[in-house]
Amino acid sequence: MPKMENIHSGGETMIRNLVFDMAWVLFRYKPMRFTRQYISDEADAEMVHRELFCAPEWLATDRGTLSDEDYFTLVSKRIPERLHTKARYLFEHWHEVLIPIREMEPVIARLKENGYGIYLLTNMSRRFYRFCRDIPAMRYFDGAVVSADEHCIKPEKEIYLALFRKYRLTPQECFFVDDRPENVKAGKRLGMSGFCFRQDVPALCDALRRAGVRL
């Protein structure tokens, strides 16, 4: 439980919980760079990257309605057979080359030390459970809501409501950090304060302080 004596309010409502997205908040994700390591031909690399990592069906894996294996079977039909072996390797191992945003760990550690609840709200397939422990800042989190488990994705209101319900959070006591403005706006419509993160940690810290969050 948060140590309430250490939590300050920036206004009428006291911020007690920080809610973070994962991709581009806790880690950077550069699948094209990874693809080029294994496919030297630029046209082939662009095509495999597009079909593996930018296909519209990707959202169904985040929603938990399409398994990773079924996703690969589907998108591989749009990739030449000569590239299937490399494409499968890339798809099965992309989570191993995530780049943690190291500057975020000490910020989250201070928030945890100061008594705030720390939660994750992420659009992610069930692959999340294969790599989440490799993100250093994750050790400070009190809980997580993963879209594939809830069968809904940000910015749909149902996933935010799932977070509030699962951890008994009051929206007005939460500050939400996400890299996509539409996700932050959806949280604000439900009562959360928020900040659109652009990999600028000092700017995030300034926004947190303005909200009355103690760092």
Side-chain angles (χ1 to χ4, degrees):
M1 289 291 293
K3 298 178 291 184
M4 294 306 167
E5 69 273 15
N6 286 339
I7 297 177
H8 294 186
S9 172
E12 294 182 1
T13 302
M14 186 180 294
I15 299 298
R16 301 174 187 268
N17 306 290
L18 285 302
V19 181
F20 293 90
D21 181 28
M22 177 170 270
W24 296 103
V25 173
L26 301 183
F27 66 74
R28 297 179 178 90
Y29 168 54
K30 298 182 178 180
M32 188 61 189
R33 178 186 296 179
F34 183 44
T35 302
R36 287 194 180 108
Q37 291 177 9
Y38 292 90
I39 301 176
S40 57
D41 181 84
E42 187 66 19
D44 282 350
E46 289 181 0
M47 182 267 295
V48 169
H49 170 266
R50 181 180 66 250
E51 298 301 343
L52 277 186
F53 302 113
C54 304
E57 294 91 347
W58 185 279
L59 285 179
T61 69
D62 283 351
R63 196 180 288 278
T65 56
L66 185 67
S67 70
D68 282 353
E69 184 58 35
D70 287 345
Y71 174 85
F72 182 80
T73 298
L74 182 64
V75 301
S76 66
K77 295 176 182 178
R78 304 195 291 262
I79 298 172
E81 188 173 353
R82 62 185 171 81
L83 293 172
H84 278 192
T85 299
K86 289 183 177 179
R88 176 170 283 279
Y89 180 87
L90 291 166
F91 184 65
E92 291 181 350
H93 293 270
W94 65 261
H95 62 276
E96 297 174 8
V97 294
L98 302 177
I99 305 167
I101 300 176
R102 298 287 178 184
E103 301 90 340
M104 286 296 292
E105 184 180 5
V107 173
I108 293 173
R110 289 199 301 272
L111 292 168
K112 183 70 172 178
E113 182 179 349
N114 287 339
Y116 294 94
I118 310 293
Y119 298 94
L120 184 77
L121 182 62
T122 181
N123 286 352
M124 188 70 64
S125 75
R126 291 189 177 90
R127 187 189 297 247
F128 165 83
Y129 298 103
R130 296 168 59 183
F131 70 81
C132 61
R133 291 180 178 84
D134 295 330
I135 307 300
M138 282 298 299
R139 61 192 172 125
Y140 300 105
F141 279 69
D142 297 296
V145 167
V146 179
S147 61
D149 295 333
E150 304 297 333
H151 303 299
C152 51
I153 59 176
K154 296 177 291 183
E156 297 165 2
K157 70 176 182 180
E158 287 79 11
I159 193 168
Y160 301 86
L161 297 177
L163 172 75
F164 305 148
R165 182 173 59 251
K166 183 175 183 180
Y167 297 107
R168 299 182 180 180
L169 304 180
T170 300
Q172 291 77 12
E173 296 176 347
C174 297
F175 189 99
F176 179 43
V177 181
D178 196 291
D179 68 304
R180 300 186 69 89
E182 64 269 27
N183 294 343
V184 175
K185 289 177 182 177
K188 288 182 176 180
R189 285 195 292 270
L190 294 171
M192 288 197 289
S193 303
F195 178 75
C196 188
F197 184 63
R198 299 299 188 193
Q199 295 80 60
D200 185 339
V201 175
L204 170 61
C205 292
D206 288 344
L208 289 170
R209 292 188 183 101
R210 288 195 301 272
V213 175
R214 185 180 175 208
L215 280 172

